[in-house]
Amino acid sequence: MIKIFDKNLSKALVESKALSQIEIDKHVKSIESTDESLDSYLVRRGILEKQQILSAMEMKFGLKTVDLQRIKIDQAAVNQIPVKFAWYYKFMPIQIKDKILTIAASAPLDIKTQDEIRVNLGYKPNLYLACEMDVLDSLKKYYGLAADMVDQILTKQPSKKLSVRDADRWVEDLEEKSSDASIAKLVNQIILEAYRKRATDIHIEPYRNKVRFRYRIDGELIDANLPTDVKHFILPILSRIKIMANLSIVEKRIPQDGSAVVKTQEQTLDLRVSTIPTPQGESMVIRILPTKVMNFRLGELGLDPKNVKIFRNLIVQPHGVIFVTGPTGSGKTTTLYACLNEVNSIQRKIITIEDPVEYEMENVTQIQVNPKVGLTFAAGLRSVLRHDPDIIMVGEVRDLETAEIAIRTALTGHLVFSTLHTNDAASGITRLIEMNVEPYLVSSSIEAFVAQRLVRVICSKCKAEVSCPEKVKKEIAQDLQISNPEEIKVFQGRGCDRCNNTGFYGRTAIYEILLMNDKIRSAILEEPRADVIKKIAIENGMQVLRQDGWQKVLQGVTTPAEVMNVTSREDSKLDDRSKEANVSVESEKSRNRKYELIAEDAVKEKKDFNARAYPRLDEELRIDYRLFQSESRVLSSVKSESWQSTQTKNIGAGGALLESDVPIPIGSVIEMKLALGETDASAVECLARVSRVEKDAKGTHYNIVIYFLDISSADRARLSNHVKTKTNLSE
Ligand SMILES: [Zn+2]
């Protein structure tokens, strides 16, 4: 059918001189292996306007044409003409009047079809020509997706109708039934349609007397428009999908998870299927992940030019952690992929640890987390380091262990990208500290926190200026410091076929980028509170989420409602908040930690070495160390890479005092092994930062004060016990 249409259309287009034979041959060749029709291809690629195609058809066949997307379809006509009839002959009923049935088809009707309509339906056909793609779309829209298939299955086996509830006795039949070609076809059709509509998920929910099929598109659920009769074979449909995903079709009482790969003409799709039992039957969600290699670009994320520049500067850092923050579904992974793409080159080895691996990337080693076999983020990260990567992406930091390894990795000269679940950029800092990451680790390793949200983009086809409440205009003007709020223009989509009548097509991200600087680093050490840090960042020029959103409203990209949905008002007015109640919310724990911190940070506070949170002990222990990175001037006497040995003068669980022949620059990070017992295995290994360097009384040696950076809590406890035991013994 389709190919006949293409042949006719090719001739018509050449005859009307819309395209040359050579051009036509080229286009026909490129759709050869797909099931896309020629008209759809030409219009989608912008090669011809639909009107040009219609005129060519009109000339060729001498029949009137109609643009089905623009005319009114009479629902009564649709109700009169059975679905199988319309689908079989591929025509769309438009109107019935005085025994005349007006229809649209993509080719002239042959005598036989005209007779069929007259005899079987009792109407005289009145034909208009229309584009093939429009006829098929209208059939889907008015009869429901795959209505012909549903009808076929129903008529083929009317006695075996299955209802949602009372069909348990059909279980044994299910496997056979769900392998039925027509059910398989129907399932494929549902998945393909979802993919074509850009859906990320398919939701199948059985209720008492119906089944709901919905697609999630641009973050919102919309009805999949399946015929209601589909409820009669929901069981075989679910079973078919479960078989595809390797799930047990007999087991319906417990939730199940699986995955399947399906091929469409355009690309292979990776499906993640999960089921949960409900009293009305199993509810299923299918996540659709495209498996084709994705090429995300920084410039396409929705960053404004200024932010693209900030991002580019950030991701060429040789080491440090960059956190992208936001709730689930805020597009964090896409941003990270775009960053990786930007730095991906032959000179750099990139490894990712993800859960799940959402998109395949070229020249990147991607690891899928699998806690069942002990491959957690933390475990993966540890083994990844042995593969000598330059850049590492950790899907998410959820616990202290992962956070500490990520930070350690950054401190040892790697660039680490990861995500955190927080509302804004500044809360990323407090989130890490709540996880019990030491504030000095946060301040010394992290380069930036980037918060983001997704907003829907207004559909370009039905976009129009709309009025906007004064209050909103005022708020926008205030946040962006615009002097004349009256002049703010706001747009919205009216809703059309292209956007499923939602007024939106696609999504874009809004950003808030908190760059580390000295002021923020000291704030983290002194007063790690999100509001305080946010205020410093804003003074420093950080644009908050809502401000970035308003910019996109002014550009006509999105609507004020979208921005207000995903950002909070407080975002943009922080001035008085620091004085409010949350000052006193500071927990006992963080107060203690602050004390410990100030006491330990000898560089800053110049506190007496003995005034520390942990008890200390004068003890000579062997310590091996090597320099990792020297923040200040390079000192030639200390070579990195090579291990040095020396002795401690004094130790505690927070740090140590060593003796050295050569000075080590203050601020340097060293990798160290402190011999706490006889064997090497019992040594305390961690990174430490040099916080003070002094010549000893004789002037021959240097006293070097270090504090431990990423010491594990177990080692910290061991050290603490060691000091306590020895102190008690000597008393
Ligand atoms: Zn639209």
Side-chain angles (χ1 to χ4, degrees), residues 584 586-596:
S584 59
E586 200 186 0
S587 68
E588 188 68 21
K589 202 160 102 193
S590 73
R591 237 197 318 273
N592 287 343
R593 192 182 301 119
K594 213 160 82 187
Y595 164 68
E596 170 190 324

mmCIF file of all heavy atoms in Angstrom, residues 584 586-596:
data_model
loop_
_atom_site.group_PDB
_atom_site.id
_atom_site.type_symbol
_atom_site.label_atom_id
_atom_site.label_comp_id
_atom_site.label_asym_id
_atom_site.label_seq_id
_atom_site.Cartn_x
_atom_site.Cartn_y
_atom_site.Cartn_z
ATOM 1 N N SER A 584 19.423 28.546 64.483
ATOM 2 C CA SER A 584 19.488 27.763 65.706
ATOM 3 C C SER A 584 19.328 26.270 65.452
ATOM 4 O O SER A 584 19.465 25.469 66.353
ATOM 5 C CB SER A 584 18.399 28.230 66.664
ATOM 6 O OG SER A 584 17.161 28.069 66.018
ATOM 7 N N GLU A 586 21.189 24.395 63.919
ATOM 8 C CA GLU A 586 22.501 23.762 63.897
ATOM 9 C C GLU A 586 22.568 22.635 64.924
ATOM 10 O O GLU A 586 22.280 22.812 66.098
ATOM 11 C CB GLU A 586 23.525 24.832 64.251
ATOM 12 C CG GLU A 586 24.891 24.476 63.822
ATOM 13 C CD GLU A 586 25.883 25.519 64.328
ATOM 14 O OE1 GLU A 586 25.448 26.468 64.993
ATOM 15 O OE2 GLU A 586 27.052 25.346 64.063
ATOM 16 N N SER A 587 22.930 21.472 64.463
ATOM 17 C CA SER A 587 22.867 20.311 65.350
ATOM 18 C C SER A 587 24.075 20.249 66.269
ATOM 19 O O SER A 587 25.114 20.847 66.025
ATOM 20 C CB SER A 587 22.798 19.047 64.519
ATOM 21 O OG SER A 587 24.033 18.892 63.859
ATOM 22 N N GLU A 588 23.888 19.474 67.314
ATOM 23 C CA GLU A 588 24.960 19.221 68.262
ATOM 24 C C GLU A 588 26.199 18.720 67.510
ATOM 25 O O GLU A 588 27.311 19.162 67.727
ATOM 26 C CB GLU A 588 24.483 18.144 69.257
ATOM 27 C CG GLU A 588 25.409 17.899 70.415
ATOM 28 C CD GLU A 588 25.461 19.082 71.359
ATOM 29 O OE1 GLU A 588 24.505 19.907 71.340
ATOM 30 O OE2 GLU A 588 26.437 19.204 72.096
ATOM 31 N N LYS A 589 25.909 17.808 66.588
ATOM 32 C CA LYS A 589 26.989 17.160 65.854
ATOM 33 C C LYS A 589 27.821 18.176 65.071
ATOM 34 O O LYS A 589 29.042 18.180 65.144
ATOM 35 C CB LYS A 589 26.379 16.151 64.875
ATOM 36 C CG LYS A 589 27.322 15.074 64.457
ATOM 37 C CD LYS A 589 26.542 13.902 63.925
ATOM 38 C CE LYS A 589 26.593 13.897 62.433
ATOM 39 N NZ LYS A 589 25.647 13.004 61.813
ATOM 40 N N SER A 590 27.113 19.056 64.366
ATOM 41 C CA SER A 590 27.875 19.959 63.526
ATOM 42 C C SER A 590 28.613 20.993 64.384
ATOM 43 O O SER A 590 29.642 21.503 63.983
ATOM 44 C CB SER A 590 26.971 20.632 62.502
ATOM 45 O OG SER A 590 26.163 21.581 63.131
ATOM 46 N N ARG A 591 28.067 21.293 65.566
ATOM 47 C CA ARG A 591 28.774 22.209 66.448
ATOM 48 C C ARG A 591 30.095 21.579 66.885
ATOM 49 O O ARG A 591 31.137 22.194 66.869
ATOM 50 C CB ARG A 591 27.919 22.560 67.662
ATOM 51 C CG ARG A 591 27.702 24.055 67.802
ATOM 52 C CD ARG A 591 27.228 24.457 69.169
ATOM 53 N NE ARG A 591 26.228 23.584 69.739
ATOM 54 C CZ ARG A 591 24.917 23.704 69.537
ATOM 55 N NH1 ARG A 591 24.451 24.644 68.773
ATOM 56 N NH2 ARG A 591 24.083 22.881 70.115
ATOM 57 N N ASN A 592 29.998 20.310 67.266
ATOM 58 C CA ASN A 592 31.205 19.603 67.681
ATOM 59 C C ASN A 592 32.224 19.569 66.566
ATOM 60 O O ASN A 592 33.398 19.768 66.765
ATOM 61 C CB ASN A 592 30.873 18.155 68.068
ATOM 62 C CG ASN A 592 30.146 18.119 69.389
ATOM 63 O OD1 ASN A 592 30.191 19.107 70.131
ATOM 64 N ND2 ASN A 592 29.475 17.024 69.661
ATOM 65 N N ARG A 593 31.702 19.293 65.387
ATOM 66 C CA ARG A 593 32.610 19.155 64.277
ATOM 67 C C ARG A 593 33.305 20.469 63.995
ATOM 68 O O ARG A 593 34.463 20.525 63.656
ATOM 69 C CB ARG A 593 31.853 18.678 63.037
ATOM 70 C CG ARG A 593 32.820 18.241 61.955
ATOM 71 C CD ARG A 593 32.124 17.816 60.699
ATOM 72 N NE ARG A 593 31.219 16.714 60.923
ATOM 73 C CZ ARG A 593 29.929 16.797 60.702
ATOM 74 N NH1 ARG A 593 29.406 17.922 60.280
ATOM 75 N NH2 ARG A 593 29.168 15.763 60.893
ATOM 76 N N LYS A 594 32.559 21.550 64.190
ATOM 77 C CA LYS A 594 33.131 22.848 63.927
ATOM 78 C C LYS A 594 34.291 23.117 64.880
ATOM 79 O O LYS A 594 35.323 23.630 64.493
ATOM 80 C CB LYS A 594 32.053 23.921 64.091
ATOM 81 C CG LYS A 594 32.242 25.066 63.148
ATOM 82 C CD LYS A 594 30.981 25.835 62.970
ATOM 83 C CE LYS A 594 30.803 26.803 64.118
ATOM 84 N NZ LYS A 594 29.518 27.461 64.065
ATOM 85 N N TYR A 595 34.089 22.715 66.104
ATOM 86 C CA TYR A 595 35.132 22.925 67.085
ATOM 87 C C TYR A 595 36.393 22.174 66.679
ATOM 88 O O TYR A 595 37.484 22.712 66.604
ATOM 89 C CB TYR A 595 34.651 22.461 68.467
ATOM 90 C CG TYR A 595 35.775 22.279 69.453
ATOM 91 C CD1 TYR A 595 36.485 23.396 69.908
ATOM 92 C CD2 TYR A 595 36.165 21.017 69.876
ATOM 93 C CE1 TYR A 595 37.548 23.245 70.778
ATOM 94 C CE2 TYR A 595 37.216 20.854 70.739
ATOM 95 C CZ TYR A 595 37.914 21.973 71.192
ATOM 96 O OH TYR A 595 38.962 21.808 72.045
ATOM 97 N N GLU A 596 36.148 20.921 66.339
ATOM 98 C CA GLU A 596 37.256 20.056 65.948
ATOM 99 C C GLU A 596 38.004 20.654 64.753
ATOM 100 O O GLU A 596 39.205 20.661 64.683
ATOM 101 C CB GLU A 596 36.648 18.698 65.586
ATOM 102 C CG GLU A 596 37.558 17.721 64.926
ATOM 103 C CD GLU A 596 36.726 16.548 64.410
ATOM 104 O OE1 GLU A 596 35.750 16.178 65.097
ATOM 105 O OE2 GLU A 596 37.036 16.037 63.351
#
